[in-house]
Amino acid sequence: MQQHPLLMEGKQALYQRVLSKPGAHFYEEIQKAKSKPATPFSVFYVYNRKTNNGATWLQLGHNRHGELAGWMPETETIPWNQGLTVAFRDPVGNDRVLLFNEKANLKALIDSNDKEKYRQLYQAAESGELDDNSPVIAIQPRTHIDILKDFYLVPIRDHEDIYIGNEQARILQVSSVPLLPAVESKKADVAPKRAKASDKKIKPFRSAVVFVIDSTLSMDPYIDRTREAVRKIYDTITKEDLTGDVSFGLIAFRDNPQAVPDLEYLTQTYVDLQQGQDAAGFFNQVSSLKAATISSRDFNEDSFAGVNEAIAGIDWQGQDARYVVLITDAGPREAGDPLSGTGMSSASLRQLAQDKGIALSVLHLLTPSIMADHSKAEETYRDLSYYPGIGSFYFGVETGNVERFGRVLDALATQITEQVKLAAMAAAGKNMALERQAKNNQAAQEKETDQLAQFQAKVAKLGYALRMRYLQQNDKQQIPNVFNAWLVDRDINKPRRQTLDVRVLLTRDQLSDLHGIMHQVLITAEEGLLSPRTFLNDLKSLAATIARDPEQLGTTTRVTGARQGNLADMGFMREYIEDLPYTGEVMNLSLENWQDWPAREQISFINRLEEKINYYQVLHDHTDLWVSLDGGPISGDSVFPIALEMLP
């Protein structure tokens, strides 16, 4: 007779699951015959619980079909009753997140709005002077730890909604676990100490800029001016002895050559970052770049294809600061456009860039044309170039003035080069005065109202954050190894600022399943085989399953051949959703809302789902983004923490 996992308390269909901590081991029997180590953060189903000498042991299985894995001490596991985890946002310029020992202590601080008590707790945590009576047990690292580069997991275990001023927030109970085992301490202060140049050799700070330039008709003056800007920067790089620390690449794009064959290509990489380490390599490769001699089909061109090629086709390894600069006078071909080469929206393309640590800038040439819809293009490009915590790196060049364009390009390229110089001198121990000067320059720029000054201020702010990240990267600082801590997902001093990003941990195989199922749901709906109610319930069932138990992706929608249909049909939708602290667009949508929407809004909703499907395919194929938890090659079991907003 097949064994079944234990149900979660009060549930009829949700099984108990746990994550294995780093360093966990399986035993064939309780306290006997140790078997092989468990892969960190692997998900197991709980089949049995037993107490032995005061310790609780769990009998775990690989799946819910009776395939047992062995026994493990409960202390080596983390409850995993939902698939949500959080990633800390970069704290540069803001308060770091405090982790509390008890929910009541954190809640009392928020309810009292006692700014002085908060300041005292924060200063004690930041200085490493927490005493045994402090309700604060840890503080977010000063150094930003990029979850996509140094994988860690902060599972959400419990939550409570609360308000900080007028902003709705959530108090979260989390477990905090780095990928590698760390020494546990009673009070975990994780403020890093600045590395001295004499202590260790710090690798040079490297920046890379890839220009994605429109090479359609009439773009020759801008192509020439881009060459001129790059030549000036190479001269500066040579004088400052920074050759090799700043690399330039260049990708040209046109439009779909199947629609207009004489355009010759959709995208073409003229210079990669290896070739662009010095002036000779760059200009040898780019000398043949010319604008097309024939017009594309309409004023929109496939700039997204060029940006995607820069993200996916360029080798960014070893680059501490990564910039893509899009230069175009045309609007993009977005998802849903039959001539689009990517099928991606600005949101999914931006997310892919952020997944790879790339900042996107757009220099939009507002050339006069009766065909151009510059306002719509601007809205899209602002969304594409949005960087969390800073804003949009969008610059509209009025009338497409070449001289104005050149000044913006010179300023941007000069700032990026200056960041490399500052980082190099800071690593040599000369950073304090230089960083003060950089901050003062940034503050002065932020007081300006001129568009260029505002644009430069954003670049300076981003550059400062990247330099700080670089200077502290060798400290090997980890997320604090603290369990059952409580935190709030908004800045107590600045409630409008979110301090965390919510993510869902999926394996590569699960993402592939999700892609296939969502695609099939949409096809079935478009063929008219699903009613609106069935369509929405299938999507909600899929979304709830991702958040709760991705292993069951293939069993909770009609299109997968599930005998009983979706979770709504089976009567389990509420218990899948009711304890989730965060939900996506689909789960918040009612049938009444859908039926009240005009056809245009319904189509827009479906298009957004299709854009996400395209993002899943691209993400699946970017093997460099996936994490192999057992240290082996990338496989179907490798994982990626996907942003919640990119899921249905």
Side-chain angles (χ1 to χ4, degrees):
M1 181 177 177
Q2 180 182 317
Q3 289 182 269
H4 294 285
L6 302 177
L7 289 169
M8 291 169 51
E9 185 177 355
K11 306 296 184 184
Q12 301 179 52
L14 286 171
Y15 296 120
Q16 295 180 29
R17 296 187 305 151
V18 295
L19 285 166
S20 55
K21 292 181 187 177
H25 284 79
F26 275 114
Y27 293 74
E28 294 177 8
E29 297 179 32
I30 294 176
Q31 291 187 331
K32 294 181 181 179
K34 180 186 289 188
S35 66
K36 63 180 180 179
T39 301
F41 305 140
S42 293
V43 182
F44 298 100
Y45 290 81
V46 179
Y47 277 79
N48 201 353
R49 291 173 179 269
K50 287 187 178 180
T51 301
N52 184 277
N53 294 327
T56 301
W57 286 73
L58 306 180
Q59 186 181 34
L60 304 179
H62 293 290
N63 51 43
R64 62 188 186 282
H65 304 302
E67 186 183 344
L68 299 179
W71 290 88
M72 184 179 292
E74 187 176 37
T75 54
E76 295 183 3
T77 68
I78 305 169
W80 188 242
N81 293 332
Q82 53 190 319
L84 302 183
T85 181
V86 297
F88 292 103
R89 290 191 172 183
D90 193 336
V92 169
N94 297 288
D95 282 359
R96 294 144 66 190
V97 178
L98 296 179
L99 287 81
F100 286 72
N101 56 2
E102 299 288 346
K103 177 172 68 171
N105 291 326
L106 174 56
K107 191 174 179 182
L109 179 66
I110 294 172
D111 289 342
S112 68
N113 195 29
D114 190 337
K115 299 295 185 184
E116 178 59 24
K117 183 176 181 181
Y118 169 77
R119 186 186 65 81
Q120 292 173 358
L121 290 172
Y122 189 86
Q123 288 180 348
E126 192 173 38
S127 62
E129 298 175 353
L130 293 169
D131 59 49
D132 289 343
N133 295 321
S134 175
V136 175
I137 55 175
I139 185 171
Q140 175 190 359
R142 181 181 288 111
T143 309
H144 176 58
I145 301 177
D146 188 343
I147 192 174
L148 303 178
K149 294 180 180 177
D150 297 299
F151 181 73
Y152 62 88
L153 202 65
V154 184
I156 299 173
R157 299 180 59 175
D158 196 2
H159 77 283
E160 181 178 329
D161 292 343
I162 196 171
Y163 276 88
I164 305 179
N166 295 323
E167 296 291 334
Q168 183 176 2
R170 289 174 180 84
I171 292 177
L172 304 174
Q173 183 190 34
V174 299
S175 295
S176 178
V177 192
L179 178 57
L180 298 175
V183 177
E184 294 191 42
S185 62
K186 186 174 183 181
K187 296 290 181 182
D189 170 45
V190 295
K193 296 178 174 59
R194 179 64 57 85
K196 297 179 181 177
S198 58
D199 293 339
K200 63 183 84 173
K201 184 177 181 181
I202 301 177
K203 77 174 186 67
F205 179 81
R206 292 194 168 92
S207 286
V209 184
V210 175
F211 296 103
V212 176
I213 192 163
D214 188 337
S215 64
T216 53
L217 194 66
S218 77
M219 283 294 293
D220 271 331
Y222 305 102
I223 293 172
D224 292 340
R225 188 60 183 84
T226 302
R227 286 195 189 97
E228 181 184 337
V230 175
R231 192 177 297 280
K232 289 179 183 178
I233 295 304
Y234 276 125
D235 290 342
T236 303
I237 290 169
T238 303
K239 291 175 184 176
E240 299 287 352
D241 195 26
L242 296 172
T243 301
D245 292 343
V246 184
S247 295
F248 291 96
L250 191 144
I251 293 172
F253 71 89
R254 290 178 177 172
D255 204 19
N256 193 319
Q258 294 180 342
V260 183
D262 288 342
L263 287 175
E264 298 178 347
Y265 60 81
L266 175 57
T267 68
Q268 184 166 324
T269 301
Y270 280 84
V271 190
D272 61 29
L273 295 180
Q274 183 68 32
Q275 296 163 333
Q277 287 186 339
D278 56 56
F282 183 90
F283 290 109
N284 285 342
Q285 296 298 121
V286 83
S287 59
S288 61
L289 173 59
K290 296 287 184 185
T293 57
I294 189 170
S295 298
S296 49
R297 174 171 287 190
D298 54 44
F299 201 79
N300 283 346
E301 285 146 9
D302 206 348
S303 56
F304 280 12
V307 172
N308 185 56
E309 182 60 28
I311 296 170
I314 293 292
D315 182 2
W316 294 94
Q317 189 172 1
Q319 304 298 334
D320 300 287
R322 305 172 179 186
Y323 302 90
V324 169
V325 181
L326 171 63
I327 301 168
T328 184
D329 65 348
R333 295 204 183 278
E334 296 189 80
D337 188 324
L339 296 182
S340 169
T342 65
M344 297 179 76
S345 65
S346 56
S348 53
L349 195 58
R350 180 189 70 237
Q351 183 64 53
L352 188 63
Q354 291 176 11
D355 291 343
K356 299 201 97 170
I358 296 169
L360 301 175
S361 298
V362 180
L363 303 186
H364 187 197
L365 309 169
L366 305 175
T367 51
S369 172
I370 59 173
M371 297 175 62
D373 187 351
H374 285 321
S375 60
K376 184 178 185 303
E378 176 181 346
E379 181 182 352
T380 303
Y381 286 140
R382 283 190 181 278
D383 184 60
L384 175 69
S385 61
Y386 179 79
Y387 194 91
I390 297 179
S392 294
F393 286 86
Y394 170 89
F395 193 97
V397 181
E398 291 297 333
T399 71
N401 183 277
V402 176
E403 182 181 351
R404 175 78 163 159
F405 164 73
R407 288 202 302 271
V408 178
L409 196 59
D410 287 345
L412 175 61
T414 300
Q415 273 187 283
I416 292 170
T417 306
E418 187 69 13
Q419 290 166 13
V420 175
K421 178 182 174 182
L422 285 169
M425 298 184 75
K430 304 175 183 178
N431 58 296
M432 292 185 67
L434 286 166
E435 289 301 341
R436 275 200 302 270
Q437 178 184 349
K439 278 189 164 182
N440 290 338
N441 290 342
Q442 178 183 331
Q445 288 166 343
E446 287 174 342
K447 291 180 181 178
E448 299 282 347
T449 56
D450 178 71
Q451 184 188 6
L452 177 56
Q454 293 176 348
F455 186 76
Q456 287 178 284
K458 291 178 182 178
V459 176
K461 188 174 182 181
L462 173 61
Y464 177 74
L466 293 174
R467 289 197 306 279
M468 291 301 97
R469 192 179 305 177
Y470 153 76
L471 289 171
Q472 296 167 342
Q473 67 184 341
N474 291 328
D475 293 326
K476 301 299 182 186
Q477 188 56 60
Q478 294 180 317
I479 290 295
N481 202 11
V482 176
F483 299 95
N484 299 330
W486 291 86
L487 52 82
V488 64
D489 64 358
R490 288 188 177 269
D491 192 323
I492 292 177
N493 266 341
K494 303 175 184 176
R496 296 184 65 181
R497 173 182 171 258
Q498 291 184 323
T499 57
L500 309 168
D501 290 313
V502 182
R503 293 176 175 268
V504 178
L505 191 70
L506 292 183
T507 68
R508 203 158 173 252
D509 281 346
Q510 287 166 354
L511 183 70
S512 181
D513 290 343
L514 174 61
H515 174 275
I517 295 168
M518 269 192 69
H519 182 66
Q520 191 59 45
V521 168
L522 290 183
I523 287 177
T524 308
E526 289 167 356
E527 290 175 348
L529 300 179
L530 292 179
S531 68
R533 179 182 296 277
T534 302
F535 167 59
L536 291 180
N537 282 344
D538 268 347
L539 284 176
K540 287 189 177 187
S541 179
L542 186 58
T545 303
I546 295 166
R548 277 294 192 188
D549 188 355
E551 293 287 343
Q552 298 194 60
L553 273 172
T555 65
T556 56
T557 64
R558 285 181 184 78
V559 297
T560 60
R563 286 180 296 176
Q564 295 175 288
N566 55 43
L567 292 176
D569 298 330
M570 294 183 277
F572 298 134
M573 183 71 80
R574 174 172 293 190
E575 74 174 43
Y576 267 69
I577 294 175
E578 61 187 353
D579 298 328
L580 294 176
Y582 300 92
T583 55
E585 180 182 29
V586 167
M587 281 192 276
N588 294 326
L589 179 62
S590 69
L591 179 63
E592 291 74 20
N593 293 146
W594 175 265
Q595 291 175 332
D596 288 342
W597 281 358
R600 183 173 61 182
E601 196 164 352
Q602 291 179 350
I603 292 171
S604 176
F605 174 83
I606 291 174
N607 286 341
R608 289 196 297 276
L609 294 177
E610 290 177 336
E611 291 159 11
K612 290 177 180 179
I613 291 172
N614 292 330
Y615 168 77
Y616 302 153
Q617 183 62 60
V618 174
L619 177 61
H620 179 275
D621 294 343
H622 276 263
T623 54
D624 58 318
L625 290 174
W626 292 83
V627 178
S628 178
L629 296 174
D630 61 4
I634 299 303
S635 67
D637 292 327
S638 300
V639 300
F640 184 85
I642 298 177
L644 183 65
E645 58 266 25
M646 298 310 298
L647 293 166

